[in-house]
Amino acid sequence: QVQLVESGGGLVQAGDSLRVSCTASGLTFSTHTVAWFRQAPGPGTEREFVARLTRSGVNQYYSDSVEGRFTISRDNAKNTIYLQMDALKPEDTAIYYCAADRATYPSRDWKSWDYWGQGTQVTVSS
């Protein structure tokens, strides 16, 4: 049974840094494409793509809104992925989800991804 568990969320101030983690059991991250998505509070919000890391661990892709501030990484020995978030803004407030997919180039549409964590709340105050 595959299980992804996020941790590290919390309440921070604008300009601060925070790192969230996601550890897998029943799945090896190094054989999957991995990503972080987020969903802002409020009715009608969609889960949006944040960052993606290829299986090789070499190529990273980011949404325009976080490019240059966030970094996705992976620790194969711990079977854990991370999202380092710097220069946080109030608009980064959301539930952050990790995801994994068997495809080499999965869609940025969250509905197509194979495996999900339960999410961790990140709140950035102004």
Side-chain angles (χ1 to χ4, degrees):
Q1 181 180 354
V2 174
Q3 191 173 18
L4 308 184
V5 179
E6 297 99 336
S7 61
L11 172 63
V12 296
Q13 293 186 332
D16 285 352
S17 297
L18 190 68
R19 189 179 77 165
V20 292
S21 305
C22 174
T23 300
S25 57
L27 174 151
T28 302
F29 276 143
S30 62
T31 63
H32 290 71
T33 303
V34 296
W36 288 93
F37 289 77
R38 68 186 182 186
Q39 188 164 6
T45 61
E46 278 279 318
R47 197 170 296 190
E48 65 172 4
F49 168 80
V50 174
R52 174 167 62 93
L53 182 67
T54 56
R55 286 183 204 167
S56 66
V58 172
N59 299 107
Q60 304 164 24
Y61 302 90
Y62 299 93
S63 67
D64 291 343
S65 61
V66 307
E67 178 83 50
R69 299 188 297 123
F70 289 13
T71 304
I72 185 172
S73 62
R74 186 181 74 206
D75 185 330
N76 291 339
K78 296 181 179 179
N79 204 27
T80 297
I81 63 170
Y82 303 97
L83 185 67
Q84 175 68 41
M85 302 180 286
D86 298 321
L88 281 160
K89 304 175 182 180
E91 51 263 45
D92 294 319
T93 295
I95 299 174
Y96 283 73
Y97 299 89
C98 63
D101 198 278
R102 290 163 290 186
T104 302
Y105 299 107
S107 167
R108 289 193 175 194
D109 181 354
W110 67 272
K111 300 180 188 69
S112 69
W113 283 68
D114 294 328
Y115 306 107
W116 289 92
Q118 83 289 349
T120 185
Q121 176 71 48
V122 173
T123 303
V124 184
S125 64
S126 58

